[in-house]
Amino acid sequence: MSTLHLTAQIWQEDDAYVAHCPELDVTSQGDSLDHALAMIKEAVELTLADLTPEELAAQLHPTPALIPFEVQLTA
């Protein structure tokens, strides 16, 4: 069994935490940060279970670079 290293972007929206895996374009949510992480892992595992290696290679996006930057707001 091989390991696939992926990224989870997690943010809070109202009372829920939204989790997104940009490499596979899979999104889920949870009631807490830990729950959202567990849910995105489950969603990714379910997605991967249905893919052949060829389909995975075609669907897999490169790991994004997350680079903070600033912009000026005009009010």
Side-chain angles (χ1 to χ4, degrees), residues 4-69:
L4 187 60
H5 297 274
L6 301 170
T7 306
Q9 298 170 318
I10 303 176
W11 63 92
Q12 188 171 4
E13 286 187 12
D14 299 322
D15 293 335
Y17 288 81
V18 178
H20 180 72
C21 174
E23 294 90 349
L24 292 171
D25 198 24
V26 174
T27 303
S28 190
Q29 68 179 28
D31 296 331
S32 67
L33 187 69
D34 289 338
H35 186 230
L37 182 58
M39 295 303 292
I40 194 65
K41 286 181 180 180
E42 181 179 333
V44 165
E45 288 170 349
L46 290 171
T47 299
L48 293 175
D50 292 335
L51 297 178
T52 66
E54 293 79 19
E55 291 170 330
L56 174 60
Q59 186 171 337
L60 193 61
H61 306 292
T63 302
L66 301 176
I67 303 169
F69 66 96

